[in-house]
Amino acid sequence: VNQVKMLEDFHKNGTNLSPRKSFIQIMDNALEISCPEDHLIYFCFLGRIMGKALFDQQLVAEQMNTNLYKHILGQPIAFAELEVVDQEFYNLLVSLGDMEEETLELELLMCGMPAIDLDDWEANMVYSGLFQENGGGDPVCCWFWGVVRENLDQETRARLLQFVT
């Protein structure tokens, strides 16, 4: 099988698409220069190059980002995989999640535990999936509400309510 050196020294709109750069770096550089309305042409271009290489049974010398391959194959991309692409952005998002949790804890410390009206909560529950037809009358739902009423303290109920809303 022949090997094709992809994107060797391609210049477009001032962007150096060198094989020594990852695809994400290429796109970051392109976006730093400008973000034209037709910025998706970069993805089109890359897709055509990759498709042509596959069709002609050519090897592509440059490794692409793993998430790009997953996207092409229709596989889900996990949040944790962002860490490999952009460590700084990943850390920022993680810290925002931590701040939200800290905010909820501070609210509980300052305002105390809210009184939760279980009758109101149960009456206004929206059921979906397998439980949509029978709603609260389904045996599993009855068991759930029994556990919430009889086994959960006020703090655990508050956390459960925050989780489901």
Side-chain angles (χ1 to χ4, degrees):
V1 178
N2 294 328
Q3 192 171 25
V4 173
K5 195 119 171 128
M6 185 172 132
L7 305 174
E8 176 111 356
D9 249 337
F10 185 83
H11 295 272
K12 180 163 175 126
N13 296 331
T15 303
N16 182 7
L17 300 178
S18 165
R20 293 171 294 284
K21 293 184 176 185
S22 76
F23 176 69
I24 295 300
Q25 289 171 326
I26 292 168
M27 295 312 295
D28 283 347
N29 291 343
L31 294 175
E32 285 175 12
I33 294 168
S34 69
C35 186
E37 287 185 28
D38 61 348
H39 67 280
L40 296 178
I41 60 171
Y42 295 108
F43 294 104
C44 250
F45 172 72
L46 183 63
R48 288 181 177 156
I49 294 291
M50 292 175 67
K52 179 69 171 147
L54 280 172
F55 183 76
D56 291 344
Q57 298 180 346
Q58 301 291 314
L59 291 178
V60 178
E62 179 64 22
Q63 295 290 323
M64 299 294 165
N65 184 289
T66 306
N67 294 330
L68 181 63
Y69 296 124
K70 284 184 146 191
H71 181 71
I72 290 170
L73 295 171
Q75 295 177 350
I77 299 170
F79 172 72
E81 293 172 301
L82 177 61
E83 185 174 14
V84 175
V85 176
D86 191 337
Q87 177 76 41
E88 185 179 346
F89 186 60
Y90 173 80
N91 290 338
L92 174 67
L93 292 176
V94 168
S95 67
L96 287 175
D98 292 342
M99 280 189 241
E100 185 176 329
E101 191 173 307
E102 290 171 6
T103 304
L104 295 174
E105 289 178 18
L106 180 61
E107 180 184 10
L108 288 175
L109 285 174
M110 294 192 68
C111 302
M113 196 60 55
I116 297 172
D117 184 349
L118 289 177
D119 294 326
D120 183 53
W121 182 8
E122 187 175 357
N124 291 293
M125 176 62 74
V126 176
Y127 297 94
S128 62
L130 298 173
F131 306 107
Q132 190 169 7
E133 188 176 319
N134 294 333
D138 190 273
V140 174
C141 296
C142 293
W143 295 334
F144 170 79
W145 289 113
V147 169
V148 171
R149 289 181 185 281
E150 298 166 18
N151 298 70
L152 301 184
D153 61 9
Q154 203 56 6
E155 179 183 353
T156 308
R157 288 177 185 167
R159 292 183 185 274
L160 176 63
L161 183 58
Q162 280 181 331
F163 175 75
V164 299
T165 54

